[in-house]
Amino acid sequence: MPSKPAQIHLHPVAKTVAAAPGTPLADVLFPEGVEFPCGGRGRCRGCRVRVLAGTMEPGEAEQRLLSEKEIADGWRLACRHQVEGNVSLAIAQWESPILADNSTYAFERVEGLGVAVDIGTTTVVAQLVDLRNGSVLAVRAELNRQARHGSDLMSRIGASVTDAGGSALTGAIRRQVARMIGELMRAVVERDLPPVRGVVLVGNTAMHHLFGGLDAEPLSRYPFEPERSDALRWTASELRWTGLPEACPVTFLPCIGGFVGSDVLAGLLAVGFDHRTSPAAFLDLGTNGEIVAGNGDRILCASTAAGPAFEGARISMGMRAATGAITAVHQLNGKWECRVLGGGEARGICGSGLVSAVATGLDLGTILASGRLARGDTWMIQEPVSLHQCDVRELQLAKGAVAAGIELLLSALEIPCSEIETAFLAGAFGNYVSLESALRIGLFPFAGERVTPAGNTALLGAKIALHAPDPVALCNAFRKRITHVSLHADPDFQEAYVSAMRFPDPARVGA
Amino acid sequence: MNQNIPEKWKSLYDAVLEGNAAAATAAVDAAIEANESPQTLVDEYMIPAMDDVGEKFEQNEYFVPELLISARAMKAALTKIQPLLTASGSQPKGRVALGTVKGDLHDIGKNLVAAMLEGGGFEVIDLGVDVDPDKFIDTARASKVDIIAMSALLTTTMPSMKTTIEALKAAGVRDGLKIMIGGAPITQEFADEIGADAYGDNASTAVSIARSLVAS
């Protein structure tokens, strides 16, 4: 007899989700916007939840990572638990904008509420924040409604220039954000809260242009320089957004340069890159890979068209990280074992699964360092999901672009990668891909212990900006210090790119 | 795969196939020293080697890195042989001017096509990246080109191909030459639509297409 779904009540956003007992709690919370910085392997404290009602027995990971007092207070690691019965959970990530415990960022208390919106090419996330204490009051995450005009950046830009027209795309995203903000406000309507004092939007340069109604045509061709890269400002009434005070400022933060937008700028603020005096790097990997490297003195950034392989697109059995997606492939006594999201039958493979499958394939010898499948053109990883030769090739193109971009920026700064003290891995990719797998395929040259998954830094940076007296001034002061480098124009890029398409030999991994 | 490589200078064929530039030039040196005809080295060893590289690429055995190191080995050998070929008055199979179209900077595919065409016995004038229609026209006029090859990687730069073909027509040079196009977003349908003579799906097929274009 199928067991009755359990009710998972989430605080402080006042939302209830139903889930079947036995479902990993991570699978329930991830779609709600909860992040798993270490990939849900019980190695960090990022996914802490506090049990307000119901029971969840603490396990080994909790004994190791949480204090006795924290455990006694009901704190648990969400990634270590399955749904058992009805529970009420407070999500630590949503209580303050401080993502990691060692973060040096401290917010200034400001009267009023703020709305932070991260407009990604694929997803849009909006949070309503109480600026008096930094807590998140409500969260909305949706797919970007422009996606029907092309899933990747270039086809979206192409659509804005040609058939669909820029105004259709601008209208679609503005309506979507307005509706999401309306939903955020309705979620707290019964509470006695101060008014919203500002909305801050972040996104890459194309999203900046398409939201702002600017001509994206210059982004469609060499030299890919934006029409404008400064901050865009409106009031709520100018956008005809109801539900907000009429004079409430709506600000799209400024871009850095080329395709590198305010999402990266905000991300850098979120990890404290502006205060760093030692060499560090920052990576945000999606369809476009954004790379930042600094030596404490100079900061360089670049974007590289990594292709959609990291998101499971253009892969023969690729899919988004949803129920039925293979999210990891582990080695087990010379064989392998798949993890399927939701625990049921496998339907496809997502980006993290692809990286993990290839890493395991390299270890098992089913994939050679050249990327060639050792036997035939397909590798059946779990019925009915197989990996094709062309899938491995897609991943080689994606990882080659990223690895070559890192190499070129570091060489421009004249620092060896061994001197990079911290490499921040931002965005969803850093949340769910296994670090070991990423290192095994040679995605980046940093030692594993120096890579820090940093979560949705774009949104966190937007929240930091909301707390600032003048968000635009804060961004402008910082972005002056960052130089955008065009990888296309670098004659060494092709050489580095092609060399980086190979996978590292086993002996060199982690060296 | 080519089974009929004469044993005599098979080391040259192997060196190109494996992408070993040092071994390829060493083999050429030894062959020239032994008075082998440069044309024979190109026709019986190097062209078959690049054909086989192309075949391995199409069969997924080789990928971009392998293709490129083979092209490099081939180019190193060709640099040694070219002056001798010219001196002996031998003719290339045809002359191709190629480049990525206006607005497009992605040249890895274009470079592979150039290498494969050279390996296939063509003389290649590489116009580089972000090539203006006028530059194609000037080259067609000045250098008696048989084929113009254009590449575009981005959907947003595809329209430049059409612009270039129209400019070639307007300049009155279109009729004297063949036009082939390629690149990730390009399709046969698009080639037909803009009035190109041929479309190639990858660097390897570019050679057989170019051969059939100059034969027609």
Side-chain angles (χ1 to χ4, degrees), chain A residues 38 79 91 96 129 156 194 200 212 222 246 306 364 374 446 468 498 503:
Chain A
C38 73
C79 70
I91 313 290
S96 89
V129 189
R156 198 83 56 85
V200 162
Y222 176 73
E246 282 194 0
L364 291 170
F446 312 115
V498 173
F503 293 114

Side-chain angles (χ1 to χ4, degrees), chain B residues 51-162:
Chain B
D51 281 349
D52 288 351
V53 168
E55 199 179 318
K56 279 174 181 283
F57 182 74
E58 278 179 54
Q59 288 174 354
N60 262 324
E61 192 178 334
Y62 274 12
F63 193 43
V64 182
E66 291 82 11
L67 207 57
L68 220 62
I69 58 165
S70 280
R72 255 180 236 152
M74 151 80 204
K75 202 147 186 167
L78 209 58
T79 310
K80 290 240 162 203
I81 293 178
Q82 201 69 56
L84 303 170
L85 282 178
T86 315
S88 69
S90 82
Q91 293 294 317
K93 298 210 166 13
R95 188 176 285 161
V96 186
L98 93 173
T100 71
V101 291
K102 187 77 195 148
D104 204 300
L105 274 197
H106 299 84
D107 62 352
I108 290 182
K110 185 266 297 172
N111 292 349
L112 288 174
V113 170
M116 293 303 291
L117 287 173
E118 281 189 330
F122 285 85
E123 182 187 341
V124 173
I125 304 173
D126 190 342
L127 300 176
V129 298
D130 188 27
V131 180
D132 202 84
D134 285 342
K135 200 164 168 188
F136 279 112
I137 294 169
D138 293 346
T139 313
R141 281 203 178 119
S143 315
K144 209 190 162 316
V145 167
D146 300 296
I147 297 172
I148 281 187
M150 296 187 277
S151 150
L153 185 82
L154 303 175
T155 47
T156 51
T157 53
M158 283 165 64
S160 286
M161 291 184 160
K162 188 175 181 205

Side-chain angles (χ1 to χ4, degrees), chain A residues 350-391:
Chain A
C350 66
S352 65
L354 176 67
V355 174
S356 169
V358 170
T360 298
L362 288 166
D363 283 340
L364 291 170
T366 52
I367 299 173
L368 309 176
S370 66
R372 175 82 178 134
L373 289 180
R375 285 172 293 276
D377 275 339
T378 53
W379 172 27
M380 181 59 74
I381 43 178
Q382 179 169 325
E383 287 282 357
V385 181
S386 57
L387 199 65
H388 293 255
Q389 181 66 62
C390 53
D391 302 335

Side-chain angles (χ1 to χ4, degrees), chain A residues 191-217:
Chain A
R191 297 163 67 176
D192 182 25
L193 292 164
V196 174
R197 65 191 305 273
V199 177
V200 162
L201 308 147
V202 295
N204 62 45
T205 307
M207 294 304 118
H208 168 272
H209 277 45
L210 294 175
F211 187 93
L214 305 175
D215 184 8
E217 195 273 337

